[in-house]
Amino acid sequence: MAYLGVRISNWRPPSAYVVSPLLVSVVAGETVGLVLAGGGARGAYEVGALSVLLPYLERRGERPRVFVGTSVGALTSSYLAARAHEPAQRVADGGCRLWSEMTFEQVLEPVVSLRALAKIVRYLGQFLGVPGIRIESLLDPAPLRDTVRRVVCFGQLERNLAAGALEQAAVVATSALTSRSVVFHRGGASPAADPARGIDYVGTEQTAEQVCASAAIPGVFPAVHVAAPARAAGWYYDGGARLNTPIKPALELGAERVVVIAAHSIAAGPDQLAGERAPDALEGAGQIVQALLVDPLVHDVRTLATVNRIVHEAGGDREAGSAAGKRSVPYIFVAPRRRHQVGELAMLVFRAHYKRVKHALRSPDLAFLGRIVAGGSDPLHGDLLSYLLFAPEFARALIELGRRDAERWLAQPHDDGPWQLGPLPPDVPL
């Protein structure tokens, strides 16, 4: 039986399970993996959810030991791995503080500046066919590398691995040459490549270059060169282009339970087939984002629940379960509950803090970007703005939303404490 493209093995005999009223529940002591999806400035939502979940899991003796992230999730997962030796509450509070203080200038070069004007001239040069001039990206994330190095102590991450405070730390990037997902991981042997899903594994020390490569949104940010190890040296784009929610790599790297935090809602759209209002080009871009980031997540969460259900049904017969060669994967899944909920927050923050002329004088870059994508017009356009709205006001709103959603998950009945084995709870829309 394949789950997410990988053969499910390591099935445990029924004596290793505790029978619950509905499903088979795996005993405690398993390795917990943390999976963090990409989403740009939406990463503050993930930190908010983790500020509730990490202390709770630590009290249960289930603190994550495998960390896998894509894009902004790569930054947060690396930060957590580097602080795995500290109490969970202190780490969570520090993460919330970092995001609450993060500004546009800590991630991107100014959009409204003389340097930006020079870039516009280069755009015109490429359009006119001037030799030697080409466009590498729309925006320049040069400050991001310094921010990553400030936030993540990679030396401490190595010490945490050596001391056993964690088992694996990994980030996902997309090869600009092959378009395959490359999982740069530290800790343990590399899993075999997965040709069917286009995933390769590279064991190496984690670096700021890998994290920045994982966050290099194609077209918006330039590709990032990773120099080591030699066999994987080359140019990379955002891991979210192919694998935004890396559940499968977390399982391959040893996770037996997974905590999945996504900054996108998986709620279904309206029942009607179509609407009469003509969409603009930006709303069309939103459809591409939906296809890249949300649809694969919906499929993976459904597959996870389906495989667990099959394992439960096989578990009633010891021989049948053993022959099936499958194991269940308890999971925690936290994501925004409503479609365009994050876009609505971005819209409201932009209107309140960055739309007026006096706001533009305080933060010309956010005011400019917000107007370019019409981020203050409605939640759909706010969705696009939300990826680049690196603003303290937006981060604080997202942190609070993440906290509420995590608390809601913990307040619900599940199959094994906070762990779900079957389908998502009824009030989690899918």
Side-chain angles (χ1 to χ4, degrees):
M1 177 67 187
Y3 161 63
L4 297 173
V6 64
R7 186 81 176 174
I8 297 296
S9 57
N10 301 326
W11 183 84
R12 292 174 175 75
S15 60
Y17 293 84
V18 177
V19 178
S20 69
L22 295 177
L23 293 168
V24 178
S25 170
V26 186
V27 297
E30 294 179 318
T31 299
V32 176
L34 177 63
V35 177
L36 297 180
R42 293 171 174 237
Y45 174 90
E46 297 176 339
V47 172
L50 291 171
S51 70
V52 172
L53 293 176
L54 289 182
Y56 178 87
L57 291 173
E58 183 179 66
R59 291 192 295 271
R60 287 175 52 90
E62 295 175 326
R63 185 164 175 174
R65 293 171 58 81
V66 172
F67 298 86
V68 188
T70 294
S71 194
V72 71
L75 170 59
T76 302
S77 67
S78 298
Y79 162 81
L80 295 172
R83 298 190 63 177
H85 61 296
E86 300 181 54
Q89 190 64 63
R90 182 191 304 166
V91 176
D93 290 345
C96 290
R97 185 167 55 253
L98 283 170
W99 270 99
S100 296
E101 298 171 354
M102 191 172 294
T103 63
F104 186 89
E105 294 75 21
Q106 293 175 352
V107 180
L108 294 162
E109 288 287 349
V111 178
V112 182
S113 66
L114 292 177
R115 182 180 296 182
L117 181 61
K119 179 172 284 192
I120 292 174
V121 172
R122 289 198 299 274
Y123 294 161
L124 181 60
Q126 178 161 332
F127 177 77
L128 295 175
V130 177
I133 294 181
R134 63 176 185 167
I135 301 172
E136 294 182 346
S137 66
L138 296 177
L139 300 175
D140 183 359
L144 178 60
R145 186 163 303 185
D146 289 337
T147 297
V148 171
R149 288 172 175 155
R150 174 176 59 85
V151 169
V152 181
C153 179
F154 291 98
Q156 185 60 54
L157 189 154
E158 290 291 323
R159 290 189 288 273
N160 288 345
L161 283 163
L166 66 150
E167 296 178 14
Q168 291 272 5
V171 301
V172 183
T174 302
S175 168
L177 176 66
T178 68
S179 297
R180 290 169 64 90
S181 298
V182 178
V183 181
F184 293 97
H185 73 98
R186 185 63 165 170
S190 290
D194 182 352
R197 290 179 62 85
I199 302 175
D200 297 300
Y201 295 86
V202 177
T204 180
E205 292 186 9
Q206 278 205 358
T207 65
E209 286 71 25
Q210 295 163 8
V211 175
C212 290
S214 182
I217 304 171
V220 181
F221 298 166
V224 174
H225 188 268
V226 174
R231 79 178 186 90
W235 294 90
Y236 291 88
Y237 280 119
D238 195 311
R242 288 292 305 272
L243 192 60
N244 194 54
T245 310
I247 300 174
K248 193 251 184 175
L251 297 175
E252 287 281 10
L253 294 171
E256 296 167 293
R257 298 174 178 234
V258 290
V259 179
V260 181
I261 312 294
H264 301 82
S265 172
I266 60 173
D271 292 334
Q272 67 187 80
L273 294 180
E276 291 297 333
R277 187 178 68 85
D280 60 22
L282 293 170
E283 291 173 90
Q287 294 293 332
I288 297 174
V289 172
Q290 173 81 17
L292 284 174
L293 305 183
V294 183
D295 293 347
L297 172 61
V298 172
H299 175 267
D300 284 355
V301 172
R302 281 177 172 162
T303 303
L304 185 63
T306 300
V307 169
N308 286 346
R309 174 65 68 179
I310 293 172
V311 172
H312 162 60
E313 293 171 352
D317 182 339
R318 294 188 181 191
E319 292 183 2
S322 180
K326 303 183 292 291
R327 64 179 173 87
S328 59
V329 181
Y331 66 95
I332 294 171
F333 177 74
V334 177
R337 302 180 72 240
R338 293 189 288 107
R339 293 183 80 218
H340 310 305
Q341 188 171 13
V342 173
E344 182 179 359
L345 281 179
M347 176 192 72
L348 294 174
V349 167
F350 177 74
R351 287 178 178 177
H353 300 281
Y354 298 98
K355 184 177 181 179
R356 298 182 178 86
V357 174
K358 63 178 181 179
H359 298 150
L361 296 175
R362 178 169 60 89
S363 182
D365 296 307
L366 290 177
F368 176 76
L369 283 175
R371 289 181 179 277
I372 286 292
V373 302
S377 60
D378 55 55
L380 277 75
H381 291 83
D383 269 333
L384 287 176
L385 175 61
S386 70
Y387 295 98
L388 296 174
L389 190 55
F390 291 97
E393 300 89 353
F394 185 48
R396 288 192 286 269
L398 285 177
I399 288 170
E400 182 56 33
L401 178 62
R403 284 173 173 160
R404 291 200 307 268
D405 288 343
E407 289 168 349
R408 181 178 292 109
W409 177 275
L410 294 180
Q412 297 167 333
H414 297 287
D415 306 308
D416 180 16
W419 302 99
Q420 190 77 3
L421 282 157
L424 287 165
D427 74 333
V428 178
L430 181 59

